[in-house]
Amino acid sequence: QVQLVESGGGLVQPGGSLRLSCAASRRIFSVISMAWYRQAPGKQRELVATISGSGTTNYADSVKGRFAISRDNANNTMYLQMNELEPEDTAVYYCWLRSIATPGNGIWGQGTQVTVSS
């Protein structure tokens, strides 16, 4: 079973940038969809961005124009470039994968903390 590990989180000031990575333990074939989610304390987990197997991307309205999702198939890694960060972006960020080889509801990484504060 493939495993996902997020990295790149940390403390950043408002207006700053971070680049999150989601590395898969082995090569991923036939991706159906990959996504970044986030969950702030006391709030429900929310979808941030998706990228389909064909490369189509979608974003939550709250991050549109500031975040960019991408994937490097050769390195089995998905990224989330986060610019113009706001305190409201503070959350644990999780990556998610669904492929033909995963369980039907996909698999999750463990999450990486992003804190935006001055």
Side-chain angles (χ1 to χ4, degrees), residues 75-112:
N75 292 314
N76 306 321
T77 304
M78 181 177 64
Y79 303 96
L80 184 67
Q81 178 66 47
M82 305 185 296
N83 301 319
E84 303 174 38
L85 284 162
E86 305 168 352
E88 292 76 17
D89 297 317
T90 295
V92 177
Y93 284 71
Y94 300 89
C95 62
W96 174 88
L97 162 71
R98 186 187 176 199
S99 76
I100 61 171
T102 67
N105 288 332
I107 60 172
W108 294 90
Q110 295 296 310
T112 185

Side-chain angles (χ1 to χ4, degrees), residues 12-80:
V12 64
Q13 293 184 343
S17 298
L18 283 174
R19 186 190 188 217
L20 305 184
S21 298
C22 173
S25 60
R26 58 181 173 85
R27 190 170 183 86
I28 302 169
F29 296 96
S30 300
V31 170
I32 299 171
S33 183
M34 300 187 74
W36 286 97
Y37 286 76
R38 66 186 182 187
Q39 187 166 24
K43 297 184 178 179
Q44 292 184 315
R45 188 170 299 187
E46 65 173 342
L47 181 63
V48 176
T50 65
I51 182 166
S52 73
S54 63
T56 301
T57 59
N58 285 282
Y59 299 90
D61 288 342
S62 59
V63 308
K64 196 170 299 182
R66 300 188 297 119
F67 291 10
I69 188 172
S70 62
R71 184 174 64 239
D72 184 344
N73 292 333
N75 292 314
N76 306 321
T77 304
M78 181 177 64
Y79 303 96
L80 184 67

